[in-house]
């Protein structure tokens, strides 16, 4: 594991998809007027025959993708997360999820990572996609995971929603990191811990930062990275949360229907008597603004995780204050 | 099928019988080679009749139409046998047909794609997204033929009562399509129109003007054409009229 502030790289998805498509002629790439923004300009330039810009017509794009997949292609559909979930939900249900075809829906700008306000902020995309039978939901945390996830979802014979950060992607994991569609990634676990933090996607850096602070205060912390929200790897997660004093989930998404809900469902069904605090967007549409401003204001910061732990453990001491990381251009740090 | 159950999508079958018979019986849709999309899944009953006529489904299977656990469901699903894509949610079939046409092109196949749409579906915006895309100069799809059953019927009444979709011919032509407008109960006219499919680089749309109850005189004009209920007297009258027409 690397240390914050993290170095970043550009286009991990676009490069991984192109590399894969060069050896797999069945892969086609569809877009909806956001080619450079979805890193697919390099695919378009290298393999123009298998790249198709459908224009601003996401419903049409999804149904086209469904039919191409029925006919044997592996179709990657690319646009912003809001547009490929909210806008064409019936098409995804009927053309992709129900027939269980090989379409990978790639939605960029998850949660409050877009400065563009509620029209561009996919805060409930995980909930929408989780609700569809046959659909897998993947929310990678860094560029290493993104690269491996592209190969993994292409190998999975069925629909996947892949939720990707746009632009600079942090390098958090070492090169030998293993992404799995089946197993959650246990970063650290203890036989018995004060706190278990479960995080996905862009909240992983905050979860790591919070862990470090909590450990410096003498608490034992288990931390699990869950890039695959559906199917949730309850088999790995449940034994860890069972031995914890409090569970805190952290997701760049509404607290309804995403990672926190998935963990809550698994814990309830297993009868795990441990309090759960969900760090996420609390049933509200946000606004325009920088990531730092939005993550702080809408409850997606390291401080929010620390506050949740303190509340969950009923500690009377002052909550530790999360440090502000200084970054230079090309670096990424948690809020 | 409808007589056995006492209800079903008989109006759709009556308005589209000649169209679908022409496509499958007239040698246009080449089975195993071309793709066929039924966009309004309520019409799937007419495909069951075609499949039985082609010997692909048994008469016994038809008798189970619409019953619990039957293979032949009343609205098309993924279980619908024999056809490439039968949609249930309206307005999505043309996009599917475009996907098949693109797929055939990538595979360097000369397969044609046929899509059956209804006029009520023209109210769904996705139809026009797909229409615009298919005729765009980069991917003009001469291998795509669409037929629209323009029977002026939707759930809440006539299409003209609910909204204005006309002028359909001008609309499709302005989107860059070749347009043929025919009497959808006239088999010769339908054959001539379908025969024009492969002739040009632009996709072809056939606007088939039909009546929701076909030209049946035995069904009262006050009947709900979208979903017909048959009592025994009406069933006898309908069967008598149909048998006389085929004699």
């Amino acid at each position: 594991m690397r240390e914050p502030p993290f170095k970043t790289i550009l286009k991990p998805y676009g490069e991984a998809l192109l590399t894969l498509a060069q050896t797999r002629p069945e892969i086609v790439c569809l877009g909806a007027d956001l080619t450079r923004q979805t890193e697919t300009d390099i695919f378009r330039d290298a393999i123009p025959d298998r790249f198709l810009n459908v224009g601003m017509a996401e419903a049409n794009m999804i149904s086209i993708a469904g039919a191409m997949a029925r006919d044997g292609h592996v179709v990657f559909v690319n646009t912003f997360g809001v547009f490929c979930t909210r806008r064409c939900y019936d098409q995804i249900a009927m053309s992709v999820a129900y027939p269980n075809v090989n379409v990978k829906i790639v939605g960029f700008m998850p949660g409050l990572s877009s400065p563009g306000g509620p029209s561009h902020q996919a805060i409930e995309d995980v909930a929408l996609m989780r609700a569809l039978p046959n659909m897998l939901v993947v929310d990678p945390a860094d560029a290493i995971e993104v690269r491996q996830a592209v190969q993994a979802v292409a190998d999975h014979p069925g629909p996947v929603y892949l939720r990707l950060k746009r632009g600079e992607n942090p390098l958090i994991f070492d090169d030998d990191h293993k992404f799995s569609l089946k197993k959650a990634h246990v970063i650290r676990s203890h036989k018995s811990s004060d706190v278990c933090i479960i995080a996905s996607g862009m909240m992983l850096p905050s979860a790591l930062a919070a862990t470090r602070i909590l450990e410096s205060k003498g608490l034992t912390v288990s931390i699990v990275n869950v890039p695959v929200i559906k199917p949730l790897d309850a088999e790995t997660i449940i034994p860890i949360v069972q031995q914890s004093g409090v569970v805190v989930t952290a997701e760049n998404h509404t607290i309804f229907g995403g990672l926190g809900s998935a963990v809550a469902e698994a814990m309830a069904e297993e009868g795990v008597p441990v309090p759960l605090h969900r760090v996420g967007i609390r049933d509200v549409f946000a606004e325009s603004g920088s990531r730092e401003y939005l993550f702080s204001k809408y409850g997606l910061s390291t401080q929010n995780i620390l506050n949740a732990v303190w509340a969950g453990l009923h500690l009377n001491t002052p909550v530790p204050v999360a440090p502000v990381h200084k970054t230079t251009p090309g670096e990424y740090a948690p809020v | 099928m409808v007589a056995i159950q006492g209800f079903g999508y008989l109006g759709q079958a009556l308005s589209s019988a000649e169209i679908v018979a022409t496509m499958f019986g007239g040698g246009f849709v080449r089975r195993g080679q071309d793709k066929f999309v039924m966009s309004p899944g309520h019409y799937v009953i007419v495909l069951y009749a075609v499949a039985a006529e082609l010997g692909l489904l048994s008469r016994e299977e038809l008798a189970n139409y619409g019953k619990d656990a039957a293979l032949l469901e009343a609205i098309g699903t993924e279980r619908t046998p024999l056809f490439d894509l039968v949609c249930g949610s309206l307005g999505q079939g043309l996009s599917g047909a475009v996907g098949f046409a693109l797929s055939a092109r990538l595979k360097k196949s000369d397969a044609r794609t046929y899509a059956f749409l209804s006029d009520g579906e023209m109210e769904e915006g996705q139809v026009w997204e797909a229409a615009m895309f298919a005729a765009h100069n980069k991917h003009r799809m001469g291998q795509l033929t669409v037929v629209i059953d323009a029977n002026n019927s939707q759930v809440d009444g006539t299409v003209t009562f609910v909204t204005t979709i006309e002028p359909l011919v001008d609309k499709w032509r302005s989107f860059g399509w070749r347009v043929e407008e025919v009497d959808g109960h006239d088999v010769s006219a339908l054959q001539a129109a379908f025969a024009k499919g492969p002739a040009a680089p632009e996709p072809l749309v056939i606007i088939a003007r039909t009546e929701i109850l076909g030209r049946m005189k035995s069904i009262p004009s006050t009947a709900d054409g979208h979903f017909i209920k048959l009592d025994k007297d009406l069933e006898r009258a309908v069967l008598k009229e149909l048998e006389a027409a085929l004699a």
Side-chain angles (χ1 to χ4, degrees):
Chain A
M1 276 281 262
R2 302 168 211 241
E3 296 295 326
F6 301 105
K7 285 195 168 52
T8 61
I9 60 167
L10 291 168
K11 301 195 180 185
Y13 164 73
E15 283 171 4
L17 181 63
L18 175 58
T19 303
L20 195 62
Q22 279 164 337
T23 59
R24 306 233 334 224
E26 73 278 17
I27 291 179
V28 295
C29 178
L30 305 189
D33 195 40
L34 287 167
T35 304
R36 182 175 53 76
Q37 292 78 359
T38 58
E39 308 176 9
T40 48
D41 46 347
I42 51 180
F43 191 115
R44 174 199 61 200
D45 296 342
I47 318 179
D49 292 350
R50 286 189 271 146
F51 174 85
L52 195 70
N53 189 345
V54 178
M56 282 177 271
E58 293 80 8
N60 188 36
M61 173 166 68
I62 293 289
S63 297
I64 286 174
M68 295 185 85
R70 291 176 95 92
D71 207 28
H73 295 285
V74 175
V75 189
F76 281 75
V77 170
N78 307 274
T79 181
F80 292 158
V82 278
F83 304 136
C84 63
T85 57
R86 276 179 195 162
R87 195 177 188 103
C88 45
Y89 197 63
D90 186 31
Q91 286 78 14
I92 295 173
M94 290 297 104
S95 303
V96 175
Y98 171 41
N100 201 12
V101 289
N102 233 329
V103 174
K104 319 302 170 186
I105 299 169
V106 185
F108 282 79
M109 297 204 306
L112 301 186
S113 64
S114 164
S119 64
H120 284 60
Q121 291 162 345
I123 61 169
E124 80 297 351
D125 55 335
V126 172
L128 289 170
M129 293 299 110
R130 258 187 88 218
L132 290 170
N134 299 325
M135 184 68 73
L136 269 55
V137 179
V138 181
D139 189 15
D142 86 332
I144 305 286
E145 277 198 341
V146 169
R147 283 180 190 147
Q148 296 184 25
V150 171
Q151 169 93 48
V153 304
D155 289 343
H156 170 75
V160 179
Y161 178 61
L162 180 59
R163 190 179 201 238
L164 296 184
K165 181 181 181 303
R166 178 182 164 195
E168 294 171 337
N169 271 258
L171 287 163
I172 299 171
F173 299 116
D174 296 320
D175 290 336
D176 61 357
H177 176 68
K178 292 265 185 298
F179 168 87
S180 164
L181 277 180
K182 294 198 169 67
K183 299 304 285 178
H185 170 220
V186 179
I187 295 172
R188 191 135 73 247
S189 70
H190 305 276
K191 276 204 171 136
S192 165
S193 59
D194 298 309
V195 183
C196 174
I197 302 176
I198 301 173
S200 70
M202 289 179 68
M203 288 306 287
L204 185 69
S206 297
L208 290 167
T211 300
R212 175 178 296 245
I213 295 161
L214 293 167
E215 287 174 341
S216 76
K217 300 291 174 188
L219 298 173
T220 53
V221 183
S222 296
I223 174 167
V224 185
N225 170 38
V226 182
V228 181
I229 299 171
K230 185 189 174 192
L232 186 77
D233 178 16
E235 204 178 317
T236 298
I237 292 169
I238 291 295
I240 299 171
V241 299
Q242 258 166 344
Q243 304 304 324
S244 300
V246 63
V247 180
V248 175
T249 56
E251 59 193 309
N252 172 23
H253 184 268
T254 169
I255 55 169
F256 297 113
L259 174 69
S261 296
V263 170
E265 290 159 15
M267 288 174 65
E269 289 197 334
E270 290 293 327
V272 177
V274 176
L276 167 69
H277 287 247
R278 291 169 297 162
V279 169
I281 304 158
R282 304 200 76 83
D283 203 22
V284 66
F285 286 102
E287 63 193 287
S288 305
S290 67
R291 179 174 66 93
E292 291 74 13
Y293 170 75
L294 294 173
F295 273 45
S296 293
K297 179 167 180 181
Y298 291 94
L300 302 178
S301 65
T302 307
Q303 189 64 54
N304 291 109
I305 296 175
L306 296 172
N307 294 349
V309 169
W310 243 244
L313 294 176
H314 305 290
L315 298 174
N316 294 320
T317 52
V319 185
V321 176
V324 176
H325 290 272
K326 288 222 171 359
T327 56
T328 55
E331 287 183 336
Y332 180 92
V335 175
Chain B
M1 288 177 267
V2 177
I4 293 164
Q5 291 285 71
F7 51 81
Y9 295 104
L10 178 61
Q12 287 81 350
L14 291 172
S15 75
S16 67
E18 292 90 348
I19 299 169
V20 181
T22 303
M23 295 174 90
F24 286 92
F28 292 106
V29 181
R30 300 166 295 178
R31 277 197 56 76
Q33 189 173 355
D34 296 334
K35 297 286 188 196
F36 175 79
V37 176
M38 175 59 86
S39 184
H42 309 67
Y43 278 83
V44 73
I45 186 170
V46 78
L47 299 184
Y48 299 153
V50 165
E53 199 59 38
L54 295 175
L56 302 169
L57 275 179
S58 70
R59 301 270 162 184
E60 293 73 41
E61 200 69 63
L62 293 186
N64 292 324
Y65 164 77
K67 289 182 181 167
D68 286 348
L71 173 66
L72 307 185
E73 295 170 273
I75 296 176
T77 72
E78 286 296 317
R79 290 171 58 211
T80 300
L82 303 169
F83 302 93
D84 300 294
L85 179 60
V86 181
C87 306
S89 179
L90 296 178
Q92 301 182 15
L94 182 54
S95 299
V98 167
F100 282 136
L102 287 167
S103 187
R105 184 177 300 177
L106 275 176
K107 292 175 168 181
K108 306 201 187 318
S109 148
D110 67 348
R112 291 192 62 75
T113 302
Y114 291 88
F116 181 105
L117 277 61
S118 72
D119 55 354
E121 282 188 291
M122 304 294 112
E123 292 165 16
E124 294 280 4
Q126 189 182 349
V127 173
W128 302 102
E129 290 183 7
M132 193 186 300
F133 179 93
H136 177 56
N137 58 17
K138 257 195 265 179
H139 21 73
R140 285 193 297 180
M141 296 187 164
Q143 75 276 38
L144 175 61
T145 295
V146 170
V147 60
I148 299 169
D149 180 15
N151 61 16
N152 195 26
S153 170
Q154 61 185 104
V155 172
D156 277 353
T158 61
V159 175
T160 44
F161 166 74
V162 173
T163 188
T164 300
I165 62 168
E166 299 291 346
L168 278 184
V169 170
D170 292 346
K171 279 199 172 89
W172 283 88
R173 196 165 279 148
S174 73
F175 273 67
W177 287 60
R178 291 179 288 145
V179 184
E180 293 289 323
E181 187 179 28
V182 298
D183 174 351
H185 297 300
D186 179 340
V187 172
S188 309
L190 286 164
Q191 279 179 323
F194 278 108
K196 292 183 181 169
E202 297 86 12
L204 171 69
V205 58
I206 300 167
I207 297 166
R209 300 290 178 184
T210 63
E211 291 165 46
I212 180 67
L213 299 174
R215 299 215 164 120
M216 300 287 292
K217 294 188 178 57
S218 51
I219 304 177
S221 60
T222 51
D224 174 7
H226 179 76
F227 192 79
I228 297 260
K229 294 187 176 64
L230 288 182
D231 60 28
K232 281 291 157 198
D233 288 341
L234 185 53
E235 178 194 327
R236 269 191 293 275
V238 167
L239 287 175
K240 194 173 157 195
E241 188 182 348
L242 284 173
E243 279 160 10
L246 293 172

